[in-house]
């Protein structure tokens, strides 16, 4: 993304320049919790056009900024030194793992007060501890301790965030906030290395393979969403008439109603028609996909490397031929300019019909609640103005059965798989796209971790639908490691009472299909209110995907 050159930096303080550059990248909202080492910067933020969203916990601010970044292109959070920064480590580690461009802004003790040699509150070991910790899961970082380099350091770190779609770290000592550097500064932009010769050769080899292929297919991954390459992907796929499958993490990278879409590829865990269609292909274009255990169906994927073209933002491999310094966008766009003959491979009717989700059976008064049935019922409701956020566990595995109407409208930490992502992520999504309805699918275990961020959603006037799947504990783990283990149990909550505590919203206690259907209808009919649907599940309920995954993973647990 090419950023505009900022205006003159004359008389701008370090804080003011940082805020200006964040705005240049489209950041309109920042999530966080104030603390004394960051209060002066918070005051500067409050005087700016950027909206500060106060959260209940720092890790929740991280999840919210992550979701915001996935939708808007870049997100940010602002926390205090160590007690705030170290609390957000897990969220940022997940953003790094899944390539979500989040800017971590943190205050720290002033340079002058460090010279006294006294132990300062919040400090751990030494003043560099927090910086050193974040170095492990950010792509770039800086401490703005030198006025002569502060502006250029801000430019460098934010450019890395945008370039690599990974988190970055900016630490601002509190006595540097209002410092005005006595130098002129002009943003010149970063130079990105792309090897034209390697790019041309990779495109040529791939296009020759495409010309020879009888059964080609694209397996699209999440990087196409992160780097905003969906239009380039579709232009290429439509011109070459290539079918498109997506990975679990890449779900909704293209609209699942597109005529070229065949479904999710999950190895042996997924739909067997889709799996067979992908694996019998004689050319598989893996574009922007993570080759992770979950994406590969716990290593049940059967993809012959000699038939694969594997292209990401960091690597490009055609069979066993490796190409260096080839931009993913240049590669996809270049393929489309080769005018490869359109493929004649047809998508079988069994797959086309399978893409049209079977409507749920009518509800019954005494029918116990099963996750898969509820997902089918929800599938009848969602549309192009719905963002679905699934927490990990069966919330995710069952939600893969949803048909997402528009691209980028399904969020889940399907690779890093950190519990507690969904409710704070709903805050980020609702802030980023206030014109969409946000639906959260979350297990009771994950909700008890971070569900209090629903309070923040209500505080800022958002109206999500939160469906709590209650199986009194960690249901996925029960399937992974059989036995009546007490450590998988959690204390039962009266979830419906929480809306009274928060001061706004409608609660629904449901134990049967009819009750769930009525609750979903009421939630859809009153979009001006937040809704919490407490769904008590049938004992030992699990989606078919979870059962398959557990059977595979239980061998190593």
């Amino acid at each position: 993304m090419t950023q505009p050159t900022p205006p003159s930096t004359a008389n701008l303080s370090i804080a003011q320049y940082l805020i200006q550059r964040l705005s240049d990248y489209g950041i309109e909202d920042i999530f966080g919790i104030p603390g004394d080492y960051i209060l002066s910067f918070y005051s500067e933020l409050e005087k700016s056009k950027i909206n500060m969203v106060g959260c209940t916990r720092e890790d929740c601010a991280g999840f919210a900024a992550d979701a915001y970044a996935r939708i808007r292109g870049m997100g940010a959070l602002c926390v205090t030194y160590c007690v705030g920064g170290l609390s957000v480590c897990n969220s940022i580690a997940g953003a790094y793992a899944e390539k979500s461009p989040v800017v971590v802004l943190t205050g720290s003790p002033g340079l002058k007060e460090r010279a006294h040699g006294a132990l300062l509150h919040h400090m751990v070991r030494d003043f560099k501890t927090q910086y050193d910790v974040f170095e492990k899961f950010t792509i770039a970082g800086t401490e703005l301790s030198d006025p002569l380099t502060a502006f250029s350091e801000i430019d460098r770190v934010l450019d890395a965030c945008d370039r690599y779609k990974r988190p970055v770290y900016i630490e601002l000592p509190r006595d540097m906030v209002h410092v005005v550097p006595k130098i002129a500064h002009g943003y010149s932009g970063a130079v990105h290395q792309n090897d034209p010769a390697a790019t041309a050769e990779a495109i040529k080899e791939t296009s020759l393979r495409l010309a020879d292929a009888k059964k080609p297919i694209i397996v699209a991954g999440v990087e196409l969403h992160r780097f905003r390459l969906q239009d380039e992907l579709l232009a290429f796929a439509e011109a070459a008439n290539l079918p498109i499958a997506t990975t679990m993490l890449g779900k909704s990278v293209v609209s699942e109603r597109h005529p070229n879409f065949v479904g999710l590829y999950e190895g042996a865990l997924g739909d067997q028609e889709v799996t067979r269609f992908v694996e019998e292909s004689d050319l598989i274009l893996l574009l922007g996909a993570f080759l992770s255990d979950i994406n590969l169906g716990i290593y049940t994927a059967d993809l012959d490397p000699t038939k694969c073209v594997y292209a990401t933002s960091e690597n490009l491999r055609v069979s066993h031929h490796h190409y260096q310094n080839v931009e993913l966008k240049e590669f996809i766009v270049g393929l489309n300019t080769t005018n490869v003959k359109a493929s004649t491979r047809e998508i079988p009717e069994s797959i086309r019909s399978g893409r049209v989700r079977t409507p749920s059976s009518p509800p019954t008064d005494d029918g116990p609640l099963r996750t898969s049935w509820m997902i089918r019922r929800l599938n009848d409701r969602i549309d192009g103005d719905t963002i679905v956020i699934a927490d990990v566990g069966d919330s995710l595995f069952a939600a893969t059965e949803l048909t997402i109407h528009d691209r980028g409208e399904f969020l889940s930490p399907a690779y890093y798989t950190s519990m507690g992502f969904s409710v704070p992520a709903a805050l980020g999504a609702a802030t980023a796209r206030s014109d969409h309805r946000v639906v959260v699918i979350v297990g009771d275990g994950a909700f008890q971790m971070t569900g209090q961020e629903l309070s923040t959603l209500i505080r800022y006037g958002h109206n999500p639908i939160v469906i709590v799947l209650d199986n009194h504990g960690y249901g996925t783990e029960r399937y992974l490691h059989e036995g009546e283990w007490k450590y998988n149990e959690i204390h039962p909550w009266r979830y419906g009472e929480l809306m009274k505590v928060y001061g706004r919203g409608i609660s629904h206690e449901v134990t049967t299909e009819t009750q769930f259907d009525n609750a979903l209808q009421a939630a859809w009919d009153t979009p001006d209110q937040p809704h919490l649907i407490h769904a008590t599940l049938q004992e030992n309920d699990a989606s078919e995907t979870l059962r398959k995954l557990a059977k595979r993973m239980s061998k190593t647990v």
Side-chain angles (χ1 to χ4, degrees), residues 225-238:
H225 177 269
R226 298 289 190 266
F227 288 89
R228 302 296 191 261
L229 297 177
Q230 296 102 318
D231 289 338
E232 288 81 358
L233 170 73
L234 289 178
F236 169 52
E238 290 169 356

Side-chain angles (χ1 to χ4, degrees), residues 13-20 41 44 172 176-179:
S13 68
I14 293 174
Q16 290 169 335
Y17 184 75
L18 175 55
I19 291 169
Q20 175 61 56
F41 184 66
E44 290 299 311
L172 182 58
M176 300 297 291
V177 171
H178 301 298
V179 172

Side-chain angles (χ1 to χ4, degrees), residues 92-115:
I92 300 306
Y96 185 93
E98 299 189 356
K99 286 197 171 179
S100 185
V102 177
V103 182
V104 180
L105 305 167
T106 178
S108 64
L111 300 180
K112 293 180 180 178
E113 60 190 313
R114 300 183 193 188

